[in-house]
Amino acid sequence: MLINRNKDARYIAEKIRSKQVSAEEAVKDAIERIESLNPELNAVVHQRFDQALQEARTRNFEGKPFGGVPILLKDLGQSLAGQPNTSGARLFKNYISPVTSHYTQKLLDAGFIVLGQTNTPEFGYKNITEPDLHGPSRNPWHTTYSPGGSSGGASAAVASGMVSVAGASDGGGSIRIPASFTGLVGLKPTRGRTPVGPGAGRAWQGASIDFALTKTIGDTAAILDALQVVQPAAAFQVPLFTEGYQQALKKHRNKPFRIAFSLESPIHSDVSQDAKDAVLKAVRWLEKQGHLVEEKNVPIDGISLMESYYIMNCGETTAVLESVEEQLARPFTLDDMELVTWVMYHAGKKVSAAAYSNTIKAWDRAAETMAQFRKHYDLFLTPTTAEIAPKVGTKWQSDALMEQMKHIQDYSMKDQQQIVWDMFADSLPITPFGMQANLSGEPAISLPIHLSKNGLPIGVQFIAPKGKEDWLLAIGQAMEDDGLFI
């Protein structure tokens, strides 16, 4: 399979702007591809085709950078008033959003037309997309494999050509992981760069951020131009990049970056030869371009950082679901949610305020360590994922562990956190590289430069200092221009 990177969102927008095609024709074309491909890939779980066609006929797209371009939203947090927003969860299977999120509104303001929502694991907790509610999404490169998660439906939709771009979000690698598995460009911007809310000033204490999955660096830059914002009510603020990301794409083409790279997992797990080959391919190219490249690990305890992340996840899950339980006016049962969610919900009940506070301190220490690291290196290069995509239907917990998970409420906080660790012990080593940038707040990007021995994509990740998305985009554009993208 080859991804057609020529017909990206900017290409479609220009065709509409120059009246070579109409917005209605562009929407109809995307609908036809979704109807043809989705029965096999299960990327799209809700559709609003009639409304989209009506908007294509009636909306004014003058002056909009993406006027009339079809897009899909992730069915997790990217709400559109009057449309489903299930979060991949049984509890929300009939939920209709009463509001449009600030993120979605910015996409609408840029001229995009929303065709529907894409599949996601329940509450976005997994690095694969196989919710009980909607069933598994499949990788367009090979449908027995997963497109990743949690933005797996989005990646399957873009990689297969259903749409040129799709909304995605990243709380622990959830843009970059599926980008790696499906051959896409996956940027996680700096914490605070894109909109949050309404009704919330942060997501997962700033670990999670909304953006998009794309096929090209140019689209990534253009969408970042459209989405970057300073929100007075938000917890985290980043100054606007007033030069504009599209304007800056060539700015650093000849800048000699100081780049550290690592082939080692931050949690000391195995890294496949395919992942190492991808990084070494990037290293050879970088050296040829005149960059200073050195193998160097960041002095951060990745295991401890992951433990702090799980504590945050548990606490945030309990905070959300306790209010839902109140509305139901009955206690939850295991039938209400998937087993992973059940564990996170009950484990969060025993997380102390001190333990939760210490997790945020751990993140701040990681950010401080990275700031010191930046005195010597501009960029940090790693594999995006340690392995190629896993197969759909892989069993991640033993029967004995699942029994412990079902009775999670009976354990102490310490034992609960061990069960949480064990619950992800087989899946985390596949994707151990994503978390650090979420917790430090730095921008990171996955670039599609390598095919594994069995013909599946695997990406490389660059992490930059806060506010330096332009550096990531410059490196990505140079790689794309030199034909490195698969």
Side-chain angles (χ1 to χ4, degrees):
M1 173 188 164
L2 292 175
I3 294 175
N4 186 346
R5 302 189 193 275
N6 294 319
K7 295 185 178 180
D8 62 4
R10 291 167 304 138
Y11 171 89
I12 296 170
E14 178 55 34
K15 288 288 187 182
I16 295 170
R17 194 159 36 244
S18 62
K19 302 190 185 306
Q20 296 179 61
V21 300
S22 67
E24 183 177 3
E25 288 170 330
V27 168
K28 283 182 177 179
D29 184 53
I31 290 172
E32 288 176 4
R33 290 197 299 274
I34 292 171
E35 290 178 336
S36 171
L37 297 169
N38 201 57
E40 183 175 27
L41 300 178
N42 194 32
V44 181
V45 292
H46 309 294
Q47 52 90 0
R48 59 185 301 273
F49 295 162
D50 291 341
Q51 300 99 311
L53 286 167
Q54 180 64 18
E55 290 176 18
R57 299 182 193 108
T58 60
R59 278 176 60 187
N60 180 7
F61 299 113
E62 187 174 352
K64 308 288 187 182
F66 293 100
V69 176
I71 194 171
L72 291 160
L73 300 174
K74 184 177 179 178
D75 189 30
L76 177 64
Q78 298 177 356
S79 58
L80 180 62
Q83 295 300 307
N85 191 21
T86 71
S87 301
R90 300 177 197 170
L91 282 168
F92 296 155
K93 65 181 179 180
N94 297 317
Y95 182 73
I96 303 297
S97 179
V99 298
T100 295
S101 70
H102 293 318
Y103 164 86
T104 300
Q105 189 59 55
K106 288 283 278 186
L107 291 176
L108 298 176
D109 292 344
F112 283 109
I113 297 177
V114 176
L115 299 188
Q117 287 84 22
T118 58
N119 204 1
T120 182
E122 186 168 83
F123 296 117
Y125 290 140
K126 299 177 183 177
N127 54 9
I128 56 170
T129 299
E130 300 180 19
D132 290 348
L133 181 62
H134 300 302
S137 291
R138 296 181 178 274
N139 195 319
W141 290 78
H142 196 311
T143 56
T144 61
Y145 291 84
S146 173
S150 64
S151 305
S155 67
V158 176
S160 66
M162 293 182 191
V163 288
S164 58
V165 63
S169 59
D170 193 318
S174 289
I175 288 175
R176 290 159 287 153
I177 291 165
S180 177
F181 288 163
T182 61
L184 299 176
V185 176
L187 172 70
K188 182 204 79 71
T190 302
R191 179 183 295 162
R193 177 69 74 195
T194 63
V196 295
R202 71 192 80 202
W204 282 5
Q205 296 301 322
S208 183
I209 186 168
D210 286 295
F211 191 58
L213 280 157
T214 73
K215 297 188 289 186
T216 62
I217 293 293
D219 267 6
T220 303
I223 294 168
L224 195 57
D225 279 335
L227 286 177
Q228 68 163 329
V229 67
V230 174
Q231 290 179 276
F236 305 103
Q237 310 285 329
V238 183
L240 292 176
F241 186 70
T242 54
E243 180 181 352
Y245 291 102
Q246 294 176 90
Q247 289 295 320
L249 271 183
K250 303 290 186 180
K251 180 178 178 181
H252 303 296
R253 185 65 168 90
N254 299 313
K255 175 181 171 62
F257 287 112
R258 301 167 302 165
I259 302 171
F261 76 94
S262 176
L263 302 174
E264 296 181 16
S265 162
I267 61 167
H268 314 301
S269 52
D270 292 338
V271 177
S272 71
Q273 191 59 50
D274 283 320
K276 292 177 181 179
D277 287 345
V279 170
L280 294 175
K281 178 180 180 180
V283 166
R284 290 191 295 272
W285 178 85
L286 290 164
E287 289 176 334
K288 191 178 295 185
Q289 302 303 306
H291 301 288
L292 176 64
V293 187
E294 181 180 355
E295 188 168 8
K296 185 77 172 179
N297 292 320
V298 174
I300 290 176
D301 183 348
I303 292 176
S304 177
L305 205 60
M306 279 305 308
E307 290 172 340
S308 75
Y309 177 77
Y310 290 152
I311 286 175
M312 177 279 298
N313 278 157
C314 293
E316 294 296 316
T317 301
T318 304
V320 169
L321 293 186
E322 278 188 342
S323 63
V324 179
E325 193 172 39
E326 277 185 29
Q327 294 170 28
L328 289 176
R330 64 167 177 81
F332 284 139
T333 71
L334 187 49
D335 290 337
D336 289 317
M337 62 193 73
E338 295 181 21
L339 187 53
V340 167
T341 306
W342 178 259
V343 169
M344 304 294 273
Y345 171 61
H346 282 286
K349 289 175 177 285
K350 291 184 180 177
V351 169
S352 68
Y356 195 94
S357 178
N358 284 333
T359 68
I360 308 305
K361 290 178 183 177
W363 300 5
D364 292 342
R365 287 193 298 270
E368 186 174 1
T369 298
M370 288 309 300
Q372 293 297 318
F373 191 75
R374 297 296 179 197
K375 293 180 179 179
H376 306 284
Y377 303 102
D378 302 312
L379 300 173
F380 184 45
L381 167 65
T382 72
T384 306
T385 55
E387 305 278 352
I388 60 169
K391 287 193 172 182
V392 172
T394 299
K395 185 177 179 181
W396 300 107
Q397 294 93 25
S398 68
D399 291 341
L401 176 57
M402 290 174 70
E403 278 302 309
Q404 288 183 305
M405 292 165 64
K406 290 175 184 177
H407 300 284
I408 186 70
Q409 64 270 35
D410 298 334
Y411 293 87
S412 67
M413 176 188 164
K414 180 180 178 181
D415 290 340
Q416 284 180 338
Q417 290 304 312
Q418 183 60 53
I419 291 170
V420 170
W421 182 272
D422 293 343
M423 181 170 71
F424 294 114
D426 286 346
S427 58
L428 175 61
I430 297 173
T431 58
F433 296 100
M435 202 69 55
Q436 179 182 304
N438 294 88
L439 306 192
S440 69
E442 294 176 310
I445 195 168
S446 179
L447 299 174
I449 70 165
H450 192 68
L451 280 177
S452 68
K453 293 180 180 64
N454 65 352
L456 286 173
I458 189 165
V460 296
Q461 173 182 242
F462 287 90
I463 305 174
K466 292 177 184 177
K468 292 296 186 180
E469 289 93 338
D470 56 317
W471 288 5
L472 299 177
L473 295 172
I475 287 285
Q477 187 66 69
M479 284 186 163
E480 185 176 358
D481 289 346
D482 282 5
L484 267 71
F485 282 15
I486 57 175

